[in-house]
Amino acid sequence: LKLSDTTQINVKSKIAWAIRKTDKSDIPQKLEIISKNSTLEFYLTKKNRLTFEDLKIKLNEFYQKADNQQFLNYSKEIKKDNQFLLRVGRYCGQKFMVFEPNKFNPKTKTVFRKSEKDNKSESPFGWLLCEIIE
């Protein structure tokens, strides 16, 4: 697959905290993130016989194996047949990028917080709801 650069359609950003959680401490980092419900457009080109339906099925299988709870939580956002989830960007998690996710057990994880001390708003980085527009 080949992805183009993105075009911003309706993008809002905000300041948030990335918290790197380890066994011994939480290391905060303040950064700018793209807000939920922002819209970006990009072109996806495939260079094989894989259909977009095949791609959706394979991605769903992989994400379910990598972290079934996160996948189930975010898959509720899929409302149309031409939509699928995609995991991208910094802090999206190595287990979502390796071939055999069940064999990888990270000792650290990085989560998003609305404020440095608010651990009730923790959620993972990097989930996109993609919609195929032809």
Side-chain angles (χ1 to χ4, degrees), residues 79-108:
K79 307 290 185 211
K80 302 176 189 175
D81 286 341
N82 64 338
Q83 293 179 328
F84 61 96
L85 293 174
L86 191 59
R87 200 70 180 156
V88 300
R90 187 173 185 187
Y91 305 129
C92 69
Q94 185 176 357
K95 69 181 175 179
F96 289 99
M97 301 297 150
V98 296
F99 183 68
E100 297 182 67
N102 293 331
K103 292 186 177 184
F104 180 75
N105 231 345
K107 293 187 175 19
T108 64

Side-chain angles (χ1 to χ4, degrees), residues 6-131:
T6 60
T7 302
Q8 297 181 4
I9 305 297
N10 176 25
V11 177
K12 295 180 180 128
S13 63
K14 62 183 175 183
I15 301 300
W17 290 89
I19 307 294
R20 186 179 169 110
K21 301 180 82 147
T22 67
D23 294 339
K24 298 177 184 173
S25 67
D26 293 350
I27 304 165
Q29 178 184 9
K30 197 175 196 178
L31 43 90
E32 183 178 18
I33 63 169
I34 295 173
S35 299
K36 185 176 180 178
N37 297 322
S38 292
T39 304
L40 302 162
E41 186 176 272
F42 63 90
Y43 294 94
L44 178 70
T45 308
K46 53 189 186 63
K47 294 184 176 186
N48 58 27
R49 294 182 183 158
L50 192 68
T51 67
F52 283 110
E53 189 61 34
D54 293 336
L55 177 64
K56 288 184 340 185
I57 291 167
K58 294 296 182 189
L59 286 170
N60 288 345
E61 287 174 359
F62 183 80
Y63 295 148
Q64 217 166 0
K65 285 179 189 175
D67 191 326
N68 188 51
Q69 189 58 46
Q70 277 189 44
F71 173 77
L72 290 175
N73 184 39
Y74 288 102
S75 65
K76 293 174 191 172
E77 299 294 322
I78 298 173
K79 307 290 185 211
K80 302 176 189 175
D81 286 341
N82 64 338
Q83 293 179 328
F84 61 96
L85 293 174
L86 191 59
R87 200 70 180 156
V88 300
R90 187 173 185 187
Y91 305 129
C92 69
Q94 185 176 357
K95 69 181 175 179
F96 289 99
M97 301 297 150
V98 296
F99 183 68
E100 297 182 67
N102 293 331
K103 292 186 177 184
F104 180 75
N105 231 345
K107 293 187 175 19
T108 64
K109 83 175 183 181
T110 303
V111 295
F112 156 80
R113 287 185 187 168
K114 292 179 182 175
S115 70
E116 184 178 5
K117 303 292 181 193
D118 178 20
N119 61 2
K120 293 181 181 176
S121 69
E122 283 184 2
S123 59
F125 283 94
W127 286 98
L128 297 181
L129 176 62
C130 297
E131 183 172 337

